Amino acid sequence: MQSENPIISDFVKMANSAAGTFAGMTREARESARERMKEALGGMDFVSREEFDTVKMMATKAREENAALETRIAALEAKLSGE
């Protein structure tokens, strides 16, 4: 049931317009906040999980090789000092 009163009709149009404007402002604020967050995080150097796991595996392998070389050097030193 529509009202024939032009004041009520104008008020309804104004309320609909305000609701649309408010929705647009909310959307714009959300997008702006998202952009600012991307900019803030973009300056930081993050690595992917895959890169982290690869470097971790390389470090573990290097430690194992280092321990093996230490053992080998100790054996060679013992052999030299025994002669």
Side-chain angles (χ1 to χ4, degrees):
M1 181 174 178
Q2 282 187 316
S3 172
E4 297 293 326
N5 190 338
I7 294 174
I8 294 176
S9 180
D10 287 345
F11 179 74
V12 169
K13 287 179 187 176
M14 186 176 69
N16 282 337
S17 177
T21 300
F22 183 71
M25 288 171 50
T26 303
R27 190 177 324 109
E28 189 173 319
R30 187 181 317 120
E31 289 173 6
S32 176
R34 186 175 294 136
E35 263 317 298
R36 277 186 261 129
M37 194 63 134
K38 280 183 185 178
E39 288 174 8
L41 293 177
M44 297 180 187
D45 290 333
F46 289 107
V47 297
S48 69
R49 185 62 165 166
E50 184 177 289
E51 290 173 319
F52 175 79
D53 289 340
T54 301
V55 171
K56 184 178 174 184
M57 190 172 50
M58 289 170 55
T60 302
K61 184 178 177 184
R63 270 191 239 107
E64 290 170 354
E65 289 174 355
N66 190 26
L69 289 173
E70 285 178 355
T71 304
R72 187 174 170 194
I73 289 171
L76 290 172
E77 287 175 343
K79 188 176 180 180
L80 283 175
S81 65
E83 289 182 357

